[in-house]
Amino acid sequence: MVSERGLQVLRAIVQDYVESHEPVGSKSIVDRHSFGVSAATIRNDMAQLEDEELITAPHTSSGRVPTDKGYRVFVNHLAQLRPLSTAQRSAIESFLMDPADLDDLMARTVRVLTQLTGQVALAQYPSFARAHLTHIELVALAPNRLLVVLVTDAGGVSQRIAGLPIDLDDEDVAVLRARLSALLTGQSVREASDRVQLLVGTHESSRVDGAIQVLGGIISEELAEFRQERLVMAGAATLARREQDFRGSIHPLLAAIEEQVTLLRLMSEMVTDEHGLAASIGAENEPFGLPEASIVASNYLTHGGTARVGVMGPTRMDYPSNLAAARAVARYLSRMLDEDETSR
């Protein structure tokens, strides 16, 4: 078992190593921190930490650096989240203010988070699978072309142009709009998907039957898009600037950013604490092929439940600051989505 002072020595090693990128020795701990004991006593504490595999020596006769296990103990028990400065909070608020739409808001979210942390920023889109369709609009662009607009109560908006097999007049468009609205408006995305599949499979002898089949197919595709999980990211270039922090190649991280599926799974499976914060550190990400990366995240509230926003980088990261930034951005994002829902 590690003593209380030993845990505080671990805290000092993590903080100093993250700041300096240099292995930390007992003399520097004595010089920089007020433990009130000798360097020899600190060395004994460090030996105990090494026995517990919380720190390790990267080179013979060098100082010590935290292991993944050491970072985990630090995050779980020793890290103290640093409140964001007034300037940082103002930057978040001004950056997220008055977005054009949900896509714009999510893009702004990851941009401000990567600016605050210097890491790759990740944000899950709100889940539209549990959302409900609130509006269906058909806009005539030409006699045989319609703009199909779908809107959900979770902020999802879809627009697709439909090419039709026949020409329609205003009365035809009104009939189609009324029919589709009566069938789908107020339904969950899942229920609407089932209903529109039945619609596509039903053939009638009316003049607009061909148009119904085309519109039903397009709406079905768009509803399927609503049900897919999505991730938005920013700051991939930061990995190149931090390449020295990775023992191996950064290519697995770049591949994960490119494909997204791995990161979506990882973000979804992270376990949050009572404050909605989560961290997945180094070797804990081995099942996802990312053993040298750490991800910290915070839940944010959406109309359909919760989603997550966070950052990814090397294990040598400033966990307290990055968790605080993710939490602050998540709170503003929750507020923006709530205000958007209230205004509708």
Side-chain angles (χ1 to χ4, degrees), residues 182-208:
L183 181 70
L184 304 176
T185 299
Q187 301 300 317
S188 69
V189 168
R190 187 180 302 276
E191 177 63 25
S193 297
D194 294 339
R195 288 190 171 204
V196 82
Q197 289 294 336
L198 292 175
L199 177 68
V200 171
T202 302
H203 292 276
E204 299 180 0
S205 58
S206 67
R207 199 178 77 82
V208 297

Side-chain angles (χ1 to χ4, degrees), residues 274-296:
E274 65 272 20
H275 305 295
L277 298 173
S280 190
I281 300 170
E284 296 168 1
N285 297 318
E286 179 72 49
F288 302 93
L290 301 171
E292 293 194 24
S294 286
I295 295 180
V296 301

Side-chain angles (χ1 to χ4, degrees), residues 86-245:
T86 301
Q88 288 174 315
R89 292 186 179 279
S90 296
I92 296 172
E93 189 165 14
S94 61
F95 210 90
L96 299 186
M97 190 179 298
D98 298 326
D101 52 28
L102 180 63
D103 290 334
D104 185 33
L105 176 60
M106 299 304 293
R108 292 187 189 198
T109 295
V110 290
R111 287 204 304 272
V112 73
L113 189 53
T114 198
Q115 288 178 13
L116 289 171
T117 64
Q119 309 284 356
V120 179
L122 316 166
Q124 293 176 313
Y125 263 74
S127 173
F128 298 130
R130 295 184 295 273
H132 289 73
L133 288 179
T134 57
H135 188 66
I136 298 175
E137 185 58 73
L138 303 179
V139 180
L141 304 177
N144 62 348
R145 293 176 71 213
L146 293 179
L147 175 65
V148 183
V149 182
L150 307 178
V151 181
T152 76
D153 57 5
V157 179
S158 162
Q159 299 184 67
R160 278 274 297 274
I161 294 177
L164 304 176
I166 61 171
D167 290 350
L168 302 177
D169 57 26
D170 291 344
E171 184 177 346
D172 293 327
V173 174
V175 168
L176 290 170
R177 184 188 299 115
R179 184 173 173 185
L180 291 170
S181 294
L183 181 70
L184 304 176
T185 299
Q187 301 300 317
S188 69
V189 168
R190 187 180 302 276
E191 177 63 25
S193 297
D194 294 339
R195 288 190 171 204
V196 82
Q197 289 294 336
L198 292 175
L199 177 68
V200 171
T202 302
H203 292 276
E204 299 180 0
S205 58
S206 67
R207 199 178 77 82
V208 297
D209 181 54
I212 280 285
Q213 297 301 310
V214 171
L215 293 174
I218 286 176
I219 292 173
S220 179
E221 291 173 3
E222 294 304 297
L223 292 174
E225 287 290 322
F226 279 145
R227 295 173 68 175
Q228 290 183 358
E229 289 190 67
R230 295 176 60 193
L231 191 69
V232 59
M233 290 174 279
T238 64
L239 293 177
R241 294 197 294 271
R242 297 177 179 274
E243 192 165 6
Q244 72 277 7
D245 287 333

Side-chain angles (χ1 to χ4, degrees), residues 25-38:
S26 57
K27 184 178 184 303
S28 69
I29 292 175
V30 170
D31 292 342
R32 292 179 55 126
H33 302 273
S34 301
F35 281 99
V37 297
S38 67

Side-chain angles (χ1 to χ4, degrees), residues 20-74:
S20 70
H21 200 190
E22 295 293 334
V24 181
S26 57
K27 184 178 184 303
S28 69
I29 292 175
V30 170
D31 292 342
R32 292 179 55 126
H33 302 273
S34 301
F35 281 99
V37 297
S38 67
T41 300
I42 296 297
R43 280 196 294 274
N44 288 335
D45 292 327
M46 292 175 68
Q48 190 179 33
L49 291 171
E50 196 162 10
D51 288 343
E52 294 291 332
E53 300 181 338
L54 299 177
I55 61 174
T56 188
H59 308 290
T60 304
S61 301
S62 72
R64 301 297 186 265
V65 301
T67 62
D68 292 351
K69 183 179 176 182
Y71 282 125
R72 169 52 65 193
V73 170
F74 173 77

